[in-house]
Amino acid sequence: MFALFEEAGKFQAGRILSEAEASAQVELDSGKRVKVKAASILLRFDKPAPATLIADAQATARDIELDLAWEFAPEEEFGFGDLARDYFSENASLTEQAAALFRLFEAPHYFRRAGKGRFRKAPADVLQQALGAIEKKKQLQAQIDAWAAELAGGTCPQPVHDQLYRILFKPDKNAPEYKAVVEAARNTQLAPLALLQRAGAIRSAYQFHWQRFLFEHFPKGTGFPPVPVPQPTSELPLAPVQAWSIDDSSTTEIDDALSVQGLGSGTVVVGIHIAAPGLALQPSDALDQIARQRLSTVYMPGHKVTMLPDAVVGAFTLEAGRDCPAVSLYVHFDETTLAVASTETRLERVPISLNLRHDQLDAVITERWLQDADAPAQAPGMPGEVAALRAPLSFLWRLARHLKAQREVVRGKPENFNRPDYNFRLVDLEAGEPTGDEQVEIGVRRRGAPLDLIVAEAMILANSSWGQWLADLGVPAIYRSQASMAPGVKVRMGTKAAPHAGIGVKCYAWSTSPLRRYTDLVNQWQIIAAARHGRTAALAAPFKPKDAELYSIISSFDAAYGAYNAYQAGMERFWTLKYLRQQGIAELDATVIKEGLVRADTLPLVLPVLGASELPRGCGVRVRLGEIDEIALDVHGTVTERRELTPAAVSAEDDSAEEETVAGPIAIAVDVADAEAGPDNPAS
């Protein structure tokens, strides 16, 4: 005796070995023995063989017309045998009964299941809705198949092109565009990214990276909504100084300027003047909401996305020839010992006399010009107004080296500038965004050059001084801290003053770039409150102690700033790879920084290489470059020659190299396995 039974939504048949009142022991054709509940046994038969019955019944079931069966079916609940007798004949065969069972079971839109082998036909209106949905699904699948065929043939359908970045990075896996890409990738045995490139969906590597960034961080575009621009107040007192800024030529958000008073008097007053949008912008106003949404200016070679609208930046940037509102820190130094006598913070208008550009002046404002009294007062190519600043710049250079030396005592080791800073210039870039086809020049700027060090130490002095002042007043701020310089100890952000071991200061609160970093704008509001209210500032400051809003800002800023920096690094790598192609560079000199990884000696490029796994860190090598992939930002190399060990490359200060990563295949969210297992194709 054989039995046909249902188990977990599947029909199986086998020989009954033994049977009790509630269950039976059944042996399947595979030899496996299963225990089957009596209620699950739907048919008992002596012949044919189980496999033959199932095969014949499945073939017969395909011929059953569901519309006709639905018409024959009674309104009340019925069994599959009842339908077989109504549809086939009063004496429906075993095969026909099994066929009716299979057909009823696979058509839930026509017949609802009411128990083991029991069914009830769907109401007419429900059936029509279900059939309409099925037809719509068929049409949708036909569209998916058509799009997939186009992609496989090397053409990208417009709907897929329009949804490209959503498909790749934040897909709706039920969307037909996504399914078409998955289906085409499976049919062609190509990776989705390669498939889309071949189909012309990705026409420009640069635009691919740019549009991907916009999709993730600026889905509504980089434009600003129309908002009124607050005008700087003229009620502030005018500072009795002439200040100057030091920035790159491309800088428009000039946040900081310096002044020096009292040279030769025994007490020198250094003024650190910071642009003061915080005097006009207020927490929660329209401009604050814009700044808080963006959190920082985004930089990349040849372009940037500013945190604040250009009109706002223009109103508060420290432009030469204007009296600009500023938050000023005045530090009184003993001219001989450089000891700090006192500090003072003022809210004022500061006359800006010059906007110095270090990329134009680094070659003439040198250590010798600043230190050697015998050097010509006006070096060749130096503007006269810059030469007039020799005395204050010389003092600031002396002070910067002194402040750096003090920090290095706290750090426990000196700061070494072994690696240069690289500047990118797109030669033929016209107004607007780059296209990715521009000629690129990569220049080198020595880290720790006099102007660079003067500005860096002045900003560290301001950020640490203001951070400590706010802490002394009990006014919360956003601090950056690092518990130690041990490997793996990262810089963290918080609301309490804590040491920053990497910089070598007691506390550090970013406050000197309020036009381009939201944390600095927040801290500026707190500093303004401290300058106005002194000891009672904690009561008047916009953000109170333990304010949850500060923690929210820190969390959002950390995520955005990390993403922006990663994008900047990626685009610098893009232009470096573009430079290799434009210059026809097939080989370059490099230095091993870790196993299998080298850094180019004269370019901002880290890449994996073959043949370096056994070489020590700091070993110089000659590398032959492989194929460049501008989409993946990837290039590999092979060591062709070993050179001498480079001592500078193995200094302890360069430990950060251990944490560098190399761009590789882009992680996308398209999974070709999605087409194999879905609602219509259940995985077994």
Side-chain angles (χ1 to χ4, degrees):
M1 176 70 71
F2 301 112
L4 175 69
F5 61 92
E6 179 194 343
E7 187 71 29
K10 294 183 179 180
F11 294 106
Q12 301 182 75
R15 182 184 301 277
I16 298 177
L17 300 179
S18 62
E19 190 170 6
E21 183 177 348
S23 64
Q25 189 80 10
V26 177
E27 182 181 47
L28 304 179
D29 285 348
S30 64
K32 180 181 178 181
R33 296 183 178 184
V34 294
K35 183 178 181 181
V36 181
K37 294 180 180 179
S40 298
I41 298 177
L42 302 175
L43 285 173
R44 299 169 187 268
F45 56 98
D46 293 319
K47 59 181 181 179
T52 302
L53 173 65
I54 290 178
D56 292 345
Q58 287 175 337
T60 303
R62 287 192 287 270
D63 296 330
I64 296 177
E65 296 183 20
L66 287 172
D67 289 328
L68 187 60
W70 186 84
E71 291 289 347
F72 282 153
E75 297 296 331
E76 66 275 7
E77 184 181 309
F78 62 91
F80 65 91
D82 300 328
L83 181 68
R85 285 184 285 274
D86 288 339
Y87 187 88
F88 292 107
S89 69
E90 181 65 27
N91 299 314
S93 67
L94 181 68
T95 298
E96 290 170 337
Q97 292 182 53
L101 172 64
F102 294 166
R103 192 61 165 151
L104 287 167
F105 193 85
E106 68 186 17
H109 47 293
Y110 280 91
F111 303 100
R112 298 175 178 175
R113 298 166 196 166
K116 298 288 186 180
R118 306 289 296 174
F119 300 89
R120 183 185 294 274
K121 75 177 185 178
D125 59 335
V126 175
L127 175 61
Q128 291 307 312
Q129 291 177 7
L131 292 176
I134 291 172
E135 181 60 29
K136 184 177 180 181
K137 190 172 183 180
K138 287 181 180 178
Q139 294 175 359
L140 190 61
Q141 186 59 48
Q143 181 66 80
I144 291 171
D145 294 340
W147 286 343
E150 286 187 59
L151 286 167
T155 303
C156 182
Q158 191 61 40
V160 173
H161 186 273
D162 293 343
Q163 295 290 319
L164 178 64
Y165 299 98
R166 183 172 298 281
I167 291 169
L168 290 175
F169 303 112
K170 292 183 180 179
D172 172 4
K173 296 192 175 184
N174 290 317
E177 295 86 357
Y178 174 84
K179 291 183 176 181
V181 172
V182 171
E183 185 175 320
R186 290 183 60 220
N187 293 342
T188 59
Q189 299 296 302
L190 288 173
L193 209 53
L195 169 76
L196 291 165
Q197 283 182 264
R198 193 185 72 168
I202 303 172
R203 301 184 181 96
S204 162
Y206 180 87
Q207 284 299 316
F208 173 80
H209 296 297
W210 175 234
Q211 294 299 327
R212 176 193 179 192
F213 175 75
L214 294 181
F215 173 76
E216 292 181 348
H217 301 286
F218 294 88
K220 296 181 180 179
T222 59
F224 292 94
V227 291
V229 178
Q231 295 303 311
T233 178
S234 59
E235 299 175 356
L236 297 172
L238 184 65
V241 300
Q242 288 294 318
W244 64 91
S245 66
I246 304 173
D247 292 281
D248 186 85
S249 292
S250 62
T251 300
T252 56
E253 303 153 295
I254 304 175
D255 290 292
D256 53 85
L258 302 173
S259 66
V260 177
Q261 303 174 76
L263 288 173
S265 68
T267 299
V268 178
V269 181
V270 174
I272 304 170
H273 312 283
I274 307 301
L279 289 170
L281 278 66
Q282 298 301 319
S284 300
D285 68 11
L287 281 170
D288 173 51
Q289 292 175 18
I290 291 173
R292 181 161 179 181
Q293 185 177 28
R294 299 196 173 201
L295 293 162
S296 171
T297 290
V298 186
Y299 294 96
M300 66 208 80
H303 193 50
K304 66 180 176 181
V305 180
T306 58
M307 181 179 77
L308 292 169
D310 289 344
V312 177
V313 173
F316 292 94
T317 188
L318 302 184
E319 183 180 340
R322 301 194 318 193
D323 299 337
C324 301
V327 179
S328 298
L329 174 68
Y330 290 98
V331 186
H332 297 248
F333 291 96
D334 182 286
E335 192 168 7
T336 302
T337 65
L338 299 180
V340 176
S342 63
T343 61
E344 180 185 3
T345 298
R346 299 177 192 165
L347 310 179
E348 58 190 4
R349 288 180 296 123
V350 176
I352 306 298
S353 60
L354 290 172
N355 292 139
L356 305 182
R357 304 298 183 176
H358 59 67
D359 53 315
Q360 300 173 3
L361 297 173
D362 276 346
V364 292
I365 298 182
T366 62
E367 290 93 333
R368 179 174 180 271
W369 185 78
L370 292 168
Q371 293 176 233
D372 188 352
D374 295 331
Q378 186 169 353
M382 178 182 290
E385 61 269 21
V386 175
L389 295 176
R390 183 177 188 180
L393 284 174
S394 296
F395 177 82
L396 290 174
W397 168 238
R398 175 180 160 225
L399 175 64
R401 288 180 296 151
H402 172 75
L403 294 174
K404 179 175 180 287
Q406 285 186 318
R407 292 190 300 101
E408 289 174 341
V409 171
V410 178
R411 292 178 85 246
K413 59 182 179 180
E415 286 182 327
N416 293 320
F417 301 119
N418 294 324
R419 306 205 312 263
D421 282 335
Y422 292 94
N423 296 322
F424 293 79
R425 179 172 173 264
L426 307 188
V427 178
D428 48 354
L429 177 64
E430 298 179 359
E433 301 173 5
T435 64
D437 298 322
E438 291 82 2
Q439 190 76 15
V440 60
E441 291 181 352
I442 301 178
V444 178
R445 175 169 169 251
R446 182 168 62 88
R447 299 173 73 189
L451 289 179
D452 179 67
L453 190 65
I454 286 171
V455 174
E457 291 300 330
M459 298 309 109
I460 292 173
L461 177 62
N463 288 328
S464 58
S465 298
W466 273 330
Q468 189 61 56
W469 184 46
L470 292 176
D472 293 342
L473 294 175
V475 177
I478 297 177
Y479 292 90
R480 293 176 66 80
S481 63
Q482 186 179 21
S484 76
M485 294 184 65
V489 179
K490 296 183 178 181
V491 176
R492 300 188 180 277
M493 300 182 72
T495 61
K496 293 185 178 180
H500 195 305
I503 298 178
V505 292
K506 292 182 179 179
C507 64
Y508 193 75
W510 263 348
S511 310
T512 54
S513 297
L515 291 174
R516 44 188 165 178
R517 275 197 308 248
Y518 189 68
T519 50
D520 299 53
L521 179 59
V522 168
N523 283 341
Q524 187 173 88
W525 281 323
Q526 303 296 85
I527 293 167
I528 290 171
R532 286 174 171 168
H533 301 280
R535 291 292 177 184
T536 62
L539 300 175
F543 300 95
K544 305 298 188 290
K546 299 183 179 180
D547 194 329
E549 197 73 5
L550 281 179
Y551 294 100
S552 175
I553 291 169
I554 288 172
S555 177
S556 299
F557 178 84
D558 235 358
Y561 200 66
Y564 295 171
N565 283 340
Y567 176 70
Q568 178 181 352
M571 294 318 296
E572 288 179 354
R573 187 175 180 88
F574 169 85
W575 286 110
T576 302
L577 298 179
K578 182 72 74 173
Y579 179 84
L580 293 176
R581 280 186 166 166
Q582 291 175 352
Q583 301 299 319
I585 298 174
E587 292 190 355
L588 49 75
D589 292 327
T591 301
V592 177
I593 58 174
K594 61 188 300 186
E595 183 177 340
L597 204 63
V598 301
R599 178 187 289 110
D601 290 346
T602 58
L603 287 173
L605 180 67
V606 173
L607 69 155
V609 295
L610 294 174
S613 58
E614 304 297 326
L615 298 179
R617 182 180 174 189
C619 179
V621 291
R622 184 73 175 171
V623 174
R624 183 174 64 249
L625 299 177
E627 185 178 352
I628 293 172
D629 187 339
E630 293 179 1
I631 293 289
L633 300 178
D634 199 15
V635 62
H636 290 68
T638 303
V639 173
T640 60
E641 180 185 345
R642 175 176 175 173
R643 296 183 285 109
E644 73 284 353
L645 200 68
T646 308
V650 294
S651 69
E653 188 63 25
D654 201 28
D655 286 339
S656 60
E658 298 281 354
E659 300 177 4
E660 289 200 47
T661 57
V662 180
I666 292 175
I668 62 174
V670 179
D671 184 357
V672 294
D674 288 337
E676 299 178 346
D680 299 327
N681 301 293
S684 58

